[in-house]
Amino acid sequence: MHVRPSSTPASDRPRSTAAQFATSDRLSDYWRFYWAVAEAQVSRWLPENPSLLLDLSGPDYQGTPRAVAAGHDVVTLLPSADVAAHRPLTLVNGRAMVPRPARRGRLRHVVGDSTFLRNFTSDAFDGVIADNRVLSRHLATEEALAEVRRVLRPGGRALLCVDSVVLGMALLAEQDCWPELSHAPDADVLLVPWPDGSITRCFTAEQLTEALADAGLELEWVKPRTVLSASTVEVMLARDPRSMGRLVEMELRATESDDYVGVHLVASARKPLQAPEPRRG
């Protein structure tokens, strides 16, 4: 395994939650680790047979090339025609092996709204990927999940990633929002401001499970994206830059537990073969 050395000196790396997660510096040690874990998770989630997938995760999502390499046809939704898909950075070789497919999948870009998928007919896709916190950035998550259910074929699956209440509470604490912080664990809907003025919606595992059920989707599993802290990852990689692969494997084993302590939650859900109507109010 070859790992490109980090370009960020350890003494200059941000430590606060807001600084770590407001932007994903893909050359920092933590974010190289984060996306290595994300690619391994999506590789494990992908269907066994070639499928038609819809990717709502944005142009900088690194799991899409892995799905195409595995033989799946992927339609990627872009917010505008001016936004080009970013070529992924291959910083770690062999971190999530993909069996060589009989054919390479195809990638197509479509401009549209990732909340209301009006460009697509119902029952069109075998799978939907809504990673990269896209559902937390769309505050009306219930409407977005209802659209995901609509475009999935019966038996189709969805992979999604949202901000957790753990992240939301850390952001509130750093901004001295103590009254809001005291109510955060019991809030039905937790909306948290970022220092840049944007708003994110944060979930507990129970809230995410309920939102999926309300949309008519059956939860398969929910787990943290990562449980190792940014500081832990940076310290370990500073000691041994070749330990990336071991860290990723350690993380994948750790996230099999039922302790939802990560800053992001990842979930997989399925549209029933006999799909019930979504719950109403």
Side-chain angles (χ1 to χ4, degrees):
M1 178 177 293
H2 172 71
V3 180
R4 180 184 298 177
S6 172
S7 61
T8 307
S11 60
D12 294 338
R13 293 172 193 154
R15 293 300 181 199
S16 74
T17 302
Q20 277 287 356
F21 294 100
T23 59
S24 58
D25 176 7
R26 297 185 183 276
L27 292 181
S28 73
D29 284 341
Y30 178 75
W31 284 106
R32 291 187 305 132
F33 164 77
Y34 180 97
W35 287 114
V37 172
E39 285 190 33
Q41 288 171 336
V42 74
S43 294
R44 293 185 175 192
W45 176 87
L46 287 171
E48 294 183 4
N49 299 319
S51 302
L52 179 60
L53 307 178
L54 175 62
D55 175 25
L56 309 178
S57 310
D60 57 348
Y61 176 57
Q62 297 191 12
T64 304
R66 181 137 326 249
V68 173
H72 304 288
D73 294 335
V74 182
V75 177
T76 297
L77 205 62
L78 299 179
S80 73
D82 299 328
V83 178
H86 297 171
R87 184 176 181 179
L89 295 174
T90 305
L91 300 177
V92 181
N93 295 324
R95 60 191 173 196
M97 298 302 296
V98 175
R100 183 177 295 276
R103 71 172 184 90
R104 183 177 177 85
R106 294 171 294 178
L107 177 63
R108 185 160 63 97
H109 299 114
V110 174
V111 175
D113 185 345
S114 58
T115 302
F116 303 105
L117 306 176
R118 298 186 180 93
N119 291 352
F120 307 108
T121 60
S122 300
D123 304 334
F125 294 95
D126 301 301
V128 174
I129 301 175
D131 207 320
N132 207 17
R133 307 175 46 247
V134 64
L135 294 178
S136 278
R137 295 196 297 268
H138 290 304
L139 305 185
T141 309
E142 291 81 2
E143 285 76 5
L145 287 174
E147 282 291 274
V148 167
R149 172 195 173 277
R150 181 182 66 79
V151 301
L152 276 174
R153 293 168 181 161
R157 300 166 68 224
L159 179 71
L160 52 102
C161 175
V162 297
D163 291 338
S164 76
V165 169
V166 173
L167 175 61
M169 294 177 68
L171 290 170
L172 290 172
E174 287 184 6
Q175 298 175 76
D176 294 327
C177 298
W178 302 112
E180 294 85 353
L181 181 60
S182 65
H183 297 291
D186 301 319
D188 292 332
V189 176
L190 180 60
L191 303 179
V192 178
W194 285 81
D196 64 2
S198 62
I199 303 293
T200 185
R201 181 170 175 180
C202 300
F203 293 82
T204 64
E206 292 76 14
Q207 289 170 340
L208 183 55
T209 300
E210 183 177 355
L212 289 166
D214 288 346
L217 295 168
E218 296 177 348
L219 179 71
E220 295 182 315
W221 49 258
V222 59
K223 62 184 70 173
R225 162 70 29 99
T226 64
V227 296
L228 296 177
S229 68
S231 59
T232 298
V233 171
E234 290 174 351
V235 167
M236 295 181 71
L237 287 176
R239 291 176 179 173
D240 181 6
R242 297 170 298 179
S243 64
M244 177 70 81
R246 296 194 299 274
L247 280 173
V248 171
E249 289 303 317
M250 182 191 310
E251 183 66 83
L252 292 175
R253 289 193 297 269
T255 54
E256 297 301 326
S257 72
D258 292 330
D259 296 324
Y260 306 114
V261 296
V263 295
H264 298 141
L265 295 177
V266 183
S268 178
R270 183 183 299 273
K271 181 176 179 177
L273 290 174
Q274 298 295 328
E277 289 298 315
R279 299 177 187 175
R280 302 296 181 186

